[in-house]
């Protein structure tokens, strides 16, 4: 058994091995997970969580690395959670984005972790919320979460981050992607990366037009800015950080940040509760109660909704 209080203390002291061990306990759904979360709860809630998403190939990892450099210049401790597709064989992270952030590997003020989705849809790993809490409790002032890549469903980052950054690039059909994939709803800051390519201005104009066609905003509402960057040369990154800080200040002023964090906590509690219920229902396969209900449904004596209600009542009442 792991000495959780000692491990948490070491993580707070900035020891990367302790942070890695805590995240591993989270990813592996350790029997000590509840103890870990209980120890971290009073220490978390301070980090600014920034999510980065966009189509594959727009330069998410390069942009994340450039943002790490910018925040480190500001003297902030930074955590990076790079969510990769899973290997169909080992279940591990397939791309290993840490390779592309190797320049920060020796910096004690930066912690980088790749996490595998393990089949979880939405662009994030299922353990991402708990891993974010580990980095938060370990003293990271900014946590950058890089998703697998936005498509039709990979927009979960909007519910896990304080600020969501959507990256696009010219020549990749991202204008159409923006219109169809729902990213007009999730972006707080939009970045047109690889702005040294032809078509960057057109992409920015098209995006600005689409944002103008979006839902009506009242005076004082946040209007997502569009920033052009060349992340490989760190061009425009300071402007991205400025946009992020402005959004954070706006959220704090209007109470949006606290509301987003409450919503995030509610979602996390709901997910844990549903997972626990699903596990209990899974244990019922072959159980006489489920078998008896199934027999009555198959015979037309009971409808499936009534059967489900009866099953849930039995579960919640400990029957």
């Amino acid at each position: 058994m792991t000495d959780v209080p000692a491990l948490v203390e070491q993580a707070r002291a900035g020891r990367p091995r302790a942070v890695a061990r805590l995240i591993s306990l989270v990813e592996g759904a350790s029997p000590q997970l509840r103890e870990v979360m209980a120890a971290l709860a009073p220490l978390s809630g301070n980090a600014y969580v920034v999510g980065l998403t966009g189509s594959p190939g727009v330069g998410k990892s390069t942009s994340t690395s450039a943002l790490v450099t910018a925040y480190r210049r500001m003297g902030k401790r930074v955590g990076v959670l790079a969510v990769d597709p899973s290997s169909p064989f080992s279940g591990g992270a397939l791309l290993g984005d840490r390779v592309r952030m190797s320049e920060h590997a020796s910096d004690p003020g930066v912690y980088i972790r790749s996490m595998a989705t393990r089949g979880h849809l939405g662009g994030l790993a299922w353990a991402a919320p708990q891993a974010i809490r580990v980095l938060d409790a370990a003293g990271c002032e900014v946590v950058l979460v890089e998703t697998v890549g936005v498509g039709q469903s990979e927009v979960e980052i909007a519910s896990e981050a304080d600020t969501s950054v959507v990256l696009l690039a010219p020549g990749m059909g991202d204008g159409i992607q923006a219109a169809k994939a729902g990213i007009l709803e999730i972006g707080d800051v939009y970045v047109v990366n690889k702005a040294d390519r032809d078509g960057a201005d057109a992409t920015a104009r098209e995006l600005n037009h689409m944002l103008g066609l979006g839902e009506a905003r009242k005076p004082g509402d946040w209007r997502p800015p569009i920033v052009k960057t060349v992340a490989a040369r760190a061009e425009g990154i300071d402007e991205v950080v400025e946009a992020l800080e402005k959004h954070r200040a706006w959220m704090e002023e209007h109470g949006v940040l606290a509301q987003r964090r409450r919503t995030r906590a509610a979602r996390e509690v709901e997910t844990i509760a549903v997972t626990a219920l699903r596990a209990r229902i899974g244990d019922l396969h072959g159980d006489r109660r489920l078998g008896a209900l199934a027999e009555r449904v198959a015979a037309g004596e009971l409808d499936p909704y009534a059967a489900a209600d009866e099953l849930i009542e039995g579960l919640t009442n400990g029957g």
Side-chain angles (χ1 to χ4, degrees):
M1 295 288 284
T2 302
D3 185 346
V4 171
L7 205 58
V8 169
E9 199 61 42
Q10 291 168 16
R12 292 286 290 172
R15 296 187 184 177
R17 287 175 66 90
V19 178
R21 180 67 183 137
L22 285 171
I23 294 180
S24 293
L25 290 173
V26 166
E27 278 195 289
S30 164
Q32 292 182 275
L33 182 55
R34 289 175 180 270
E35 185 184 355
V36 169
M37 289 298 110
L40 296 179
L43 304 173
S44 56
N46 303 306
Y48 177 41
V49 182
V50 178
L52 293 98
T53 192
S55 305
V58 296
K60 293 189 297 296
S61 295
T62 307
S63 298
T64 301
S65 182
L67 282 171
V68 171
T69 300
Y71 276 115
R72 288 299 291 145
R73 279 203 307 268
M74 295 165 65
K76 296 185 181 293
R77 289 185 66 184
V78 183
V80 178
L81 208 58
V83 183
D84 293 331
S86 297
S87 163
F89 304 105
S90 67
L94 188 59
L95 296 179
D97 280 319
R98 284 173 292 181
V99 173
R100 279 168 280 178
M101 300 181 206
S102 55
E103 62 187 280
H104 304 293
S106 59
D107 186 344
V110 179
Y111 182 86
I112 301 171
R113 174 74 173 230
S114 289
M115 292 185 75
T117 57
R118 301 188 183 182
H120 181 78
L121 296 178
L124 292 180
W126 76 270
Q130 287 81 26
I132 291 170
R133 184 173 284 108
V134 171
L135 294 174
D136 183 359
C140 293
E141 296 161 274
V142 178
V143 176
L144 303 175
V145 184
E146 179 194 335
T147 74
V148 168
V150 75
Q152 296 298 94
S153 62
E154 290 80 5
V155 293
E156 191 177 331
I157 187 60
S159 61
E160 299 298 344
D162 297 323
T163 299
S164 296
V165 178
V166 176
L167 284 91
L168 303 96
M172 297 186 68
D174 277 339
I176 296 173
Q177 186 73 2
K180 72 177 183 179
I183 63 172
L184 290 180
E185 286 77 28
I186 71 166
D188 297 307
V189 175
Y190 288 88
V191 173
V192 178
N193 190 33
K194 305 182 181 181
D196 52 345
R197 290 184 177 180
D198 291 339
D201 290 337
T203 300
R205 280 197 305 271
E206 193 173 345
L207 180 58
N208 188 52
H209 176 66
M210 288 181 179
L211 288 171
L213 293 175
E215 57 185 79
R217 291 182 175 84
K218 299 186 291 292
D221 282 358
W222 176 257
R223 179 174 173 82
I226 300 168
V227 184
K228 288 188 286 187
T229 65
V230 183
R233 300 200 295 262
E235 294 176 10
I237 296 300
D238 288 342
E239 287 78 1
V240 175
V241 172
E242 183 182 346
L244 292 174
E245 292 304 313
K246 282 183 179 178
H247 184 243
R248 183 180 188 175
W250 177 85
M251 287 192 296
E252 289 175 343
E253 181 184 346
H254 292 81
V256 175
L257 184 60
Q259 179 57 46
R260 285 192 177 190
R261 290 179 175 179
R262 282 194 297 269
T263 301
R264 193 158 74 219
R267 178 188 172 95
E268 188 176 358
V269 171
E270 181 185 346
T271 299
I272 292 169
V274 168
T275 300
L277 279 173
R278 189 178 291 124
R280 290 182 64 181
I281 290 172
D283 291 340
L284 288 176
H285 284 293
D287 184 280
R288 58 177 178 79
R289 289 171 295 178
L290 183 58
L293 288 169
E295 193 172 322
R296 292 172 63 194
V297 170
E301 298 172 9
L302 194 66
D303 71 85
Y305 286 93
D309 288 342
E310 196 172 320
L311 181 63
I312 290 169
E313 188 179 351
L315 285 173
T316 53
N317 291 334

